[in-house]
């Protein structure tokens, strides 16, 4: 359905495009726009600008709108599949013959700039552009274009035609009167026939032009059912069929019982009518005080294509160096692919310029860790490149991003404070506390869905690290079932406590039984449980909170801060007393693995544990790094650090080992016991072995000795196994019951008896 042979109207006034236009047309059509779909956005935007102009003019001259249909400020889309033509009609200001020549024959010479110069004394009119570069995007999909136009200042209706081949023609239009405005008829290319489908056009309007300030209609069809009266021919056929089914009883039915109501049937037919496409209102342009919660929820569902209400929202207007309006929403649930391709994923914000959708793939508006936030940003002043598909690099982007991040974090903070206020109310009313203690707050839901994103923010966003730290939630040794904030932890700290204690592991149940917590729990210190693999990365970037340092309970040199003089003297005396034993134990252990053997100040009931150096990986971090598919063995060897064996001088196993080592320092059995105790402590502390077979061998040797099995005892062969098995008697075959032979006479006799 090619329109390449279509010619200009007979007698039309033909013009050549400017030389610059001809050169740039090829660039625009073949290079400038990467997405053909945007042609509809550009034409609707132009129509919206034209409608804005006539509306502005009508403020001082009401007669400019005219009467009847001309008063309807709207945009209409219609398709003619037989001719392969897509039409877009607006009732805007229109163009004169000279406007058509100047605006459509000169590249990027926009009628908007001239209009604004004439309206300097008018109000705040911000227009994207009437038939600037954007108009020529139509040639991405068109073989031939007609622009029919009527302006109030021109008694004649004109038509502009072009194939984008270097020439255009203008002639008087004798077609259907437009009253006022423009109609663009796009003769679609063979490969662009998809734009004749109603579903495709509805999709594009919904994506790019949903919030245009004027109604957009499409001429569409739908199937409707209606009752129609059965015609005589049909009725005769029906009566004949009924006669065949009549019975003699019909004679008993009186004429009075017959129904005189006309007989009908249901038929389906296709009805054509104008359908409104942009029912959603641009509520961000209104004051937040004028929008109720129901409107925000409806807007969010339309924007996010979800059926659930948002957890929270914020609506604000930024003024100053850069002006923009925005609405941000927090979804109730995180998308399943939230962290897939994390660093290449764009934010979920939609960027509009004067209510026209530009893109939802900008990285500059929000940092990656806030990519779950959905919403709208609309600016009148953002500098777009010539195709409007990407923003030019501009300092205003940094300003917008900074304000958006601040507002987003404030929204999350308020959500957290609401949950905290609810908890305080429960605490003040004992009955309410009992009834609602198990209820999940909005912030609890937020944390389950987006807590990992907040932790990523602490790693990535140094400027907002403290704000993000206040949003952290976790379980602790004193609050294993209820999430706690760092602020709450600090409020509940013991007098004299100088450190925030935490421990990281695979699960809360594992951490609760960790030997690292024995003395901390005995002293009634609260310990934070970290069970998310990202937690240790987060704590590497968050070293303190509210002037309190963080301390990993699994690292060496753990300090409690409340030791009195007598305890310090006792610990010093123990270190001196066990000095020889710790040196012996250190010499027994592998040189490459163990840096030192020390008296522990953290163990109560466990004989010994293994800790890592202050700046090395913890056991949990080592486990996480080993699980990485692309882990570097060289880096792991460096970061793993040296281990320290801490022993409990009060434990009977340790004291017994000390006695044996002092009785015979060279005893292989005693040395083997010392190594097994170290390796067992490694397992309990969360470490794994490079050579697990060695540990298993030593453990089995200890079991063998304990059971009195000789070291050189042989493993039985198969024949010895067979000989050791008890002899089984052969099973006698089962005897089947004999079935007597039955003769024919016997069968006859049995039959008679039956």
């Amino acid at each position: 359905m090619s329109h390449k042979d279509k010619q200009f109207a007979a007698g039309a006034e033909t013009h050549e495009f400017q030389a610059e236009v001809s050169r740039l047309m090829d660039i625009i059509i073949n290079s400038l726009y990467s997405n053909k779909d945007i042609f509809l956005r550009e034409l609707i935007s132009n129509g919206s600008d034209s409608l804005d102009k006539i509306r502005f003019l009508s403020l001082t001259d009401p007669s400019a709108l005219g009467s009847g249909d001309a008063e309807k400020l709207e945009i209409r889309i219609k398709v003619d599949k037989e001719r392969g033509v897509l039409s877009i009609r607006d009732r805007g200001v229109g163009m004169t013959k000279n406007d058509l020549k100047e605006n459509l024959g000169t590249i990027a010479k926009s009628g908007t700039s001239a209009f604004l110069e004439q309206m300097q004394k008018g109000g705040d009119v911000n227009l994207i552009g009437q038939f600037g570069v954007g108009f020529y995007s139509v040639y991405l999909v068109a073989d031939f274009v007609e622009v029919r136009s009527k302006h109030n200042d021109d008694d004649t209706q004109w038509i502009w035609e072009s194939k984008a081949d270097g020439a255009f023609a203008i002639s008087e239009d004798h077609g259907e009167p437009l009253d006022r405005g423009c109609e663009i008829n796009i003769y679609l290319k063979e490969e662009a026939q998809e734009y004749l489908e109603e579903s495709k056009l509805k999709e594009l309007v919904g994506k790019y032009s949903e919030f245009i300030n004027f109604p957009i209609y499409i001429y569409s069809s739908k199937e409707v059912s209606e009752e129609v009266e059965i015609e005589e021919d049909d009725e005769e056929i029906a009566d004949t069929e009924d006669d065949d089914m009549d019975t003699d009883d019909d004679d008993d039915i009186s004429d009075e019982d017959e129904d005189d109501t006309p007989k009908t049937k249901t038929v389906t037919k296709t009805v054509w009518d104008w359908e409104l496409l942009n029912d959603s209102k641009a509520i961000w342009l209104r004051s937040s005080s004028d929008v109720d919660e129901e409107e925000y929820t409806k807007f969010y569902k339309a924007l996010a294509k979800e059926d659930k209400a948002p957890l929270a929202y914020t609506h604000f207007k930024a003024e100053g160096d850069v002006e923009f309006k925005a609405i941000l929403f927090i979804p109730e649930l995180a998308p399943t692919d939230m962290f897939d391709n994390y660093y290449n994923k764009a934010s979920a914000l939609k960027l509009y310029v004067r209510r026209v959708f530009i893109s939802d793939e900008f990285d500059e508006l929000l940092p990656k860790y806030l990519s779950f936030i959905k919403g709208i940003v609309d600016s009148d002043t953002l500098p777009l490149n010539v195709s409007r598909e990407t923003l030019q690099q501009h300092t205003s982007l940094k300003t917008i991003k900074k304000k958006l991040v601040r507002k987003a974090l404030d929204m999350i903070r308020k959500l957290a404070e609401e949950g905290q206020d609810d908890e305080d109310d429960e605490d003040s009313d004992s009955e309410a506390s009992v009834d609602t203690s198990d209820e999940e707050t909005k912030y609890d839901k937020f944390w389950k869905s987006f807590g990992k994103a907040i932790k990523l923010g602490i790693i990535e966003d140094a400027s907002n690290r403290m704000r993000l730290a206040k949003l952290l939630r976790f379980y602790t040794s004193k609050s294993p079932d209820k999430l706690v904030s760092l602020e709450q932890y600090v409020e509940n700290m013991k007098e004299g406590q100088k450190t925030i204690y935490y421990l990281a592991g695979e699960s809360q149940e594992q951490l609760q039984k960790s030997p690292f917590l024995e003395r901390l729990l005995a002293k009634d210190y609260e310990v934070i449980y970290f069970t998310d693999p990202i937690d240790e990365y987060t704590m590497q970037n968050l070293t303190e909170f509210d002037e309190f340092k963080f301390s990993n309970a699994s690292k060496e040199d753990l300090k409690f801060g409340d030791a009195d003089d007598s305890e310090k003297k006792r610990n010093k005396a123990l270190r001196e007393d066990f000095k020889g034993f710790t040196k012996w134990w250190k010499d027994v252990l592998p040189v490459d693995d163990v840096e030192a053997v020390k008296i522990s100040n953290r163990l109560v009931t466990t004989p010994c544990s293994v800790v890592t150096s202050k700046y090395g990986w913890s056991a949990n971090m080592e486990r996480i790094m080993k699980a990485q598919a692309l882990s570097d063995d060289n880096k792991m060897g460096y970061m793993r650090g040296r281990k320290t064996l801490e022993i409990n001088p009060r434990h009977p196993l340790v004291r017994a080992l000390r006695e044996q080592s002092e009785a015979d320092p060279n005893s292989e059995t005693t040395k083997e016991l010392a190594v097994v105790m170290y390796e067992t402590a490694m397992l309990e502390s969360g470490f794994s072995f490079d050579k697990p077979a060695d540990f298993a061998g030593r453990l089995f040797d200890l079991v063998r000795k304990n059971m009195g099995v000789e070291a050189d005892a042989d493993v039985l062969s198969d024949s010895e196994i067979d000989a050791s098995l008890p002899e089984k008697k052969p099973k006698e075959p089962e005897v089947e019951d004999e079935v007597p032979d039955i003769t024919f006479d016997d069968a006859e006799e049995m039959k008679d008896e039956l």
Side-chain angles (χ1 to χ4, degrees), residues 294-310:
E294 185 178 347
E295 288 181 284
Y296 283 120
T297 300
K298 181 181 178 182
F299 177 79
Y300 169 75
K301 290 179 178 180
L303 175 73
K305 306 297 187 288
E306 290 187 9
D307 58 354
K308 294 180 179 291

Side-chain angles (χ1 to χ4, degrees), residues 76-78 198 202 217-224 270-277:
R76 299 203 168 201
I77 302 172
K78 191 174 183 180
E198 292 176 26
K202 290 178 180 179
Y217 294 93
I218 187 171
Y219 197 59
S220 64
S221 63
K222 61 180 179 180
E223 301 293 328
V224 297
T270 301
V271 176
W272 290 84
D273 201 359
W274 292 102
E275 178 184 349
L276 181 64
L277 298 182

Side-chain angles (χ1 to χ4, degrees), residues 349-363:
L349 289 187
K350 294 181 180 292
L351 177 66
Y352 284 72
V353 174
R354 291 177 284 284
R355 300 180 306 282
V356 177
F357 176 68
I358 300 301
S359 178
D360 56 2
E361 298 181 354
F362 282 117
D363 295 330

Side-chain angles (χ1 to χ4, degrees), residues 670-688:
T670 306
K671 290 180 179 180
E672 190 173 8
L673 285 171
V675 174
V676 170
M677 285 183 67
Y678 161 71
E679 291 174 331
T680 305
M682 278 189 64
L683 283 178
E684 190 175 24
S685 300
F687 293 97
S688 59

Side-chain angles (χ1 to χ4, degrees), residues 48 63 76 109 209 215 295 306 332 351 467 579 726:
S48 175
S63 64
R76 299 203 168 201
K109 181 176 179 181
S209 307
E295 288 181 284
E306 290 187 9
E332 182 175 333
L351 177 66
R467 289 189 182 88
K579 187 174 182 179

Side-chain angles (χ1 to χ4, degrees), residues 18 41 239 303 341 345 393 569 613 686:
Q18 290 181 347
R41 177 193 74 185
D239 289 343
L303 175 73
N341 199 24
K345 185 176 293 185
Q393 293 300 319
K569 288 180 181 179
S613 59

Side-chain angles (χ1 to χ4, degrees), residues 634-654:
N634 294 328
K635 183 179 180 181
M636 285 192 64
Y638 174 75
M639 290 301 297
R640 189 180 298 171
R642 302 290 294 278
K643 298 178 178 64
T644 296
L645 175 64
E646 290 192 355
I647 63 173
N648 182 359
R650 299 168 180 80
H651 201 280
L653 284 179
V654 173

